[in-house]
Amino acid sequence: MTLDDLCLFALDTSRPYGERVGKALGIALCAHQEREFEDGEHKARPLENVRGKDVYVIQSLYGEPGMSANDKLVRLLFFIGALKDASAARVTAVCPYLAYARKDRRSKSRDPVSSRYVAQLFEALGTDRVLTLDVHNLAAYQNAFRIPAEHLEASGLFVAWFAARLQDEAVVVVSPDVGGVKRAEAFRQALARALGRPVTAAFMEKSRSEGVVSGAAVVGDVGGRTAIIIDDLISTGTTLARAAAACKALGANRVYAAASHGVFVGAAGQVLADPALDKVLVTDTILPFRLPPALLDSRVEVLASAPLFAEAIRRLHSGGSLVELLAGA
């Protein structure tokens, strides 16, 4: 199977990201039209023949000024429906950031399980496959869908960044809560292999209720080490700030943080300016438009994830292995 059979679309709000994916694949984005109506309704349609084609649609589902996550989700769903009606052989929704993935269980009585409802919407429109990066809870994500739900990991990007910069100092990987221990442990093992020396682990206690985070105990030795706090996303930054302060208080030499998605809402800009943090790494699944430019120049670095998605699309299209892709990342 050649790339001639592949059609790559990116909806307007994700077009720059889609162009980077297309460049890595060596193909141009397919043409489409999005039209706004006076009453707030809209339509989107492909302008190229997709009959019998393997189609990938890129739309990162985060809210931004003038376009909520809900708006983006509906536009993506309607466009997928149009592609299926136009006889596309297979349609894969490529969502670098997947909205509602955090709401994957009932934490209070009569809570919604929004991640499952989103999965049902994709399935109802005939989506054949979903591809995303580092969801909050991998098991819940995979169980929510009855169609193939593919999952990429940014850990390889972070490992490469740290392996090129860390010298001979002792390193500890810190999970900011017990729920992230598996993610942190996988990263710790990969970093240890890349550095060719042992890397230790630690985690923090954490509880959250009504948006208030508490708990400050650290389990593990961080004193005299370079601490790397690993998480799936940064929202307000309070969890990260709490972990960084605790590591510094216990004698960590330097504190880095790495999270796949930089949501950066509320007072995140002020939190990330805390001198306890030396550097924060995120990927480009969400544009850091909410952060002051000065932070992006000095404190926050954005790593490119488009090449990773491009290679995943290439392998899905040709029948290659995503397991091998992630193992070699």
Side-chain angles (χ1 to χ4, degrees):
M1 187 178 292
T2 68
L3 293 183
D4 293 338
D5 303 313
L6 187 153
C7 289
L8 181 67
F9 291 91
L11 296 186
D12 286 350
T13 55
S14 291
R15 184 172 184 85
Y17 191 95
E19 289 175 342
R20 295 195 294 273
V21 173
K23 182 178 180 180
L25 276 170
I27 62 175
L29 292 177
C30 293
H32 78 288
Q33 178 193 49
E34 293 183 48
R35 180 182 172 189
E36 309 294 326
F37 295 99
E38 290 79 2
D39 61 354
E41 295 182 3
H42 56 82
K43 76 170 184 179
R45 66 185 180 107
L47 296 178
E48 300 184 22
N49 182 16
V50 297
R51 182 178 295 275
K53 298 293 184 68
D54 185 18
V55 182
Y56 296 80
V57 186
I58 298 172
Q59 177 82 313
S60 202
L61 300 177
Y62 61 90
E64 59 183 306
M67 186 76 66
S68 71
N70 299 328
D71 293 330
K72 291 183 178 182
L73 175 60
V74 170
R75 288 167 189 261
L76 175 59
L77 292 171
F78 285 7
F79 189 66
I80 290 172
L83 291 167
K84 298 297 288 190
D85 287 348
S87 299
R90 184 173 73 169
V91 178
T92 299
V94 181
C95 303
Y97 179 73
L98 182 63
Y100 295 105
R102 283 182 281 177
K103 192 53 186 158
D104 54 28
R105 64 187 178 90
R106 292 189 178 93
S107 54
K108 289 182 169 46
S109 300
R110 296 176 291 280
D111 258 5
V113 186
S114 304
S115 61
R116 177 163 56 85
Y117 308 153
V118 169
Q120 291 171 336
L121 289 171
F122 277 112
E123 293 160 3
L125 269 296
T127 312
D128 296 281
R129 187 183 301 267
V130 173
L131 175 65
T132 191
L133 178 81
D134 280 327
V135 293
H136 187 63
N137 183 325
L138 179 56
Y141 164 72
Q142 293 171 333
N143 289 328
F145 286 88
R146 293 172 296 177
I147 59 175
E150 309 291 357
H151 181 260
L152 302 178
E153 298 171 359
S155 61
L157 304 177
F158 298 141
V159 166
W161 192 94
F162 284 111
R165 290 163 177 81
L166 295 178
Q167 303 302 316
D168 296 328
E169 67 263 39
V171 180
V172 58
V173 173
V174 181
S175 174
D177 53 41
V178 175
V181 166
K182 286 186 177 180
R183 178 185 299 106
E185 175 60 15
F187 175 78
R188 185 198 66 79
Q189 293 179 11
L191 183 60
R193 289 193 297 269
L195 292 175
R197 64 176 189 269
V199 174
T200 59
F203 69 89
M204 292 194 62
E205 65 162 334
K206 171 186 167 183
S207 60
R208 180 191 296 271
S209 181
E210 304 294 338
V212 177
V213 176
S214 59
V218 177
V219 178
D221 186 9
V222 299
R225 301 173 185 270
T226 294
I228 302 174
I229 303 167
I230 193 80
D231 210 346
D232 61 316
L233 60 84
I234 300 171
S235 184
T236 62
T238 54
T239 295
L240 174 58
R242 180 179 133 274
C247 289
K248 278 289 189 179
L250 291 173
N253 293 335
R254 291 186 290 172
V255 179
Y256 293 99
S260 303
H261 311 290
V263 183
F264 300 136
V265 295
Q270 299 174 19
V271 171
L272 296 185
D274 190 321
L277 279 167
D278 290 274
K279 178 76 75 172
V280 177
L281 303 181
V282 294
T283 75
D284 55 356
T285 58
I286 300 176
L287 294 177
F289 59 90
R290 297 186 180 98
L291 291 182
L295 269 183
L296 294 175
D297 294 336
S298 63
R299 190 63 62 87
V300 178
E301 186 165 339
V302 181
L303 305 186
S305 62
L308 177 61
F309 274 93
E311 182 58 29
I313 290 171
R314 189 191 307 275
R315 290 177 183 236
L316 288 174
H317 178 68
S318 63
S321 171
L322 293 190
V323 173
E324 292 177 359
L325 169 62
L326 296 179

